[in-house]
Amino acid sequence: NRLYIQQRRTSRLLSTVRTQKETLEKLNAELRLTHVHKNYLLGAVAHDIRNLLGNVNQVSELLLMDFEGEDEQSKRSRHLLHLMNQSGRLGMHTIQDLLEGVRPAGEIDLEKEPIMPANLVQEVVDLLSLRAERKQLSIHTHIEFNRSFLADSDKLKRALVNVLDNAIKFSPNRSEIQLWVEKEGDFLSIIVQDQGLGFKDEAIPNFLEPFSIEGRKGTAGETTTGLGLYIVHKLVSAHGGSLSIENRPDGGAEVKVRIPMGVG
């Protein structure tokens, strides 16, 4: 009799487990389908927005060419168009970051070309100069190595935009950011140091995950997506490079991007 009761209980338990397993499999299938639909929708929306921003950039660049005078009105118009162009370019970077964030690992195609480090860094600094100016930040560049190397210019630029944007976001007003370019063996190292909030040591690994819950507001209330350093990690890894994040002894953070030199 006891054996019969035990068998009945075991049978009911196995039946419950099978039902739960079927339910989980169904939920997983629905989740995968939802993920596919989300990526499709995100890609479609990003494509349309990217085209619109591309048009804005082209129009602003054409208008900039029309202002050749040196009077105050022409200077102001050029400045406003420059702001429009920079905003559009940053918007394009953001859209590409979102697309990279949902793309499976190993699906990043690189189009390598010879790049001069000084030119790359200057483009990134120029792109974010308005954000730095709003917080009265000084960005000092130190180019200790300036020979060409092979990399995907657009993707590496996006990675560095994210690194420098983070430094700006978490730096207090009227502080300084140092940006170094050095050669370390067969690698080009680009180092960004700030005087900002720094990181919680135990939370640093989490910043390499998508949509990190460690994201926090910047010193001026700037919001974060939790994607920035994750995108940097993906793009740098695709180049065969590495990303390191650490706190500085005297306060602030240091983020280092290392890229194989290749043959420029």
Side-chain angles (χ1 to χ4, degrees):
N1 190 34
R2 287 182 179 178
L3 181 59
Y4 173 75
I5 293 174
Q6 187 175 4
Q7 287 176 338
R8 289 289 302 273
R9 287 176 177 172
T10 303
S11 178
R12 286 198 297 268
L13 180 59
L14 288 174
S15 178
T16 301
V17 170
R18 281 195 295 268
T19 301
Q20 290 176 341
K21 180 175 179 292
E22 291 171 359
T23 301
L24 285 175
E25 289 175 346
K26 182 179 179 182
L27 289 173
N28 281 334
E30 292 176 354
L31 184 61
R32 286 193 294 270
L33 185 60
T34 300
H35 183 69
V36 170
H37 288 165
K38 178 201 68 176
N39 288 353
Y40 176 78
L41 179 61
L42 179 59
V45 172
H47 179 268
D48 289 344
I49 296 177
R50 185 167 50 190
N51 286 342
L52 291 172
L53 286 176
N55 291 337
V56 171
N57 288 347
Q58 290 178 6
V59 170
S60 61
E61 288 170 3
L62 288 172
L63 289 174
L64 275 169
M65 295 172 61
D66 290 339
F67 288 96
E68 299 177 352
E70 293 299 324
D71 59 279
E72 288 303 314
Q73 184 59 42
S74 293
K75 289 180 180 179
R76 176 172 171 75
S77 297
R78 274 202 305 271
H79 179 65
L80 292 176
L81 286 169
H82 181 61
L83 295 182
M84 180 192 300
N85 186 260
Q86 282 188 309
S87 296
R89 290 169 65 193
L90 280 174
M92 297 282 279
H93 279 279
T94 301
I95 289 170
Q96 285 301 123
D97 282 350
L98 287 172
L99 292 175
E100 297 289 0
V102 299
R103 184 177 298 175
E107 291 190 6
I108 298 178
D109 296 322
L110 301 179
E111 296 181 8
K112 293 186 178 183
E113 59 183 329
I115 301 172
M116 294 297 290
N119 295 342
L120 174 69
V121 165
Q122 192 58 54
E123 285 186 48
V124 171
V125 172
D126 287 346
L127 197 59
L128 293 169
S129 60
L130 296 175
R131 293 190 180 183
E133 287 173 11
R134 292 192 191 105
K135 300 179 77 169
Q136 297 177 276
L137 302 175
S138 300
I139 301 177
H140 304 283
T141 59
H142 311 273
I143 311 297
E144 299 191 350
F145 180 83
N146 194 34
R147 291 178 58 185
S148 66
F149 68 106
L150 288 178
D152 187 305
S153 177
D154 180 64
K155 291 180 174 61
L156 186 53
K157 190 187 305 178
R158 291 212 327 272
L160 296 181
V161 163
N162 276 312
V163 173
L164 185 57
D165 188 49
N166 259 13
I168 292 171
K169 193 177 296 178
F170 297 110
S171 289
N173 290 354
R174 294 180 293 279
S175 61
E176 296 183 348
I177 295 174
Q178 309 293 335
L179 199 161
W180 302 80
V181 176
E182 303 172 346
K183 186 176 184 293
E184 297 182 3
D186 296 328
F187 289 83
L188 180 78
S189 291
I190 302 174
I191 306 160
V192 176
Q193 300 174 335
D194 63 54
Q195 300 172 320
L197 300 175
F199 300 94
K200 294 180 181 178
D201 289 330
E202 67 276 11
I204 287 177
N206 297 334
F207 286 97
L208 303 184
E209 298 297 326
F211 304 106
S212 167
I213 61 172
E214 301 296 337
R216 52 185 170 165
K217 289 187 177 181
T219 53
E222 301 99 325
T223 58
T224 63
T225 62
L227 273 174
L229 291 176
Y230 168 69
I231 295 297
V232 176
H233 179 61
K234 285 190 70 173
L235 296 178
V236 171
S237 296
H239 280 83
S242 63
L243 170 69
S244 63
I245 307 167
E246 60 183 39
N247 290 310
R248 301 174 63 208
D250 55 347
E254 175 180 298
V255 177
K256 178 189 288 189
V257 168
R258 298 177 77 243
I259 301 291
M261 287 289 298
V263 180

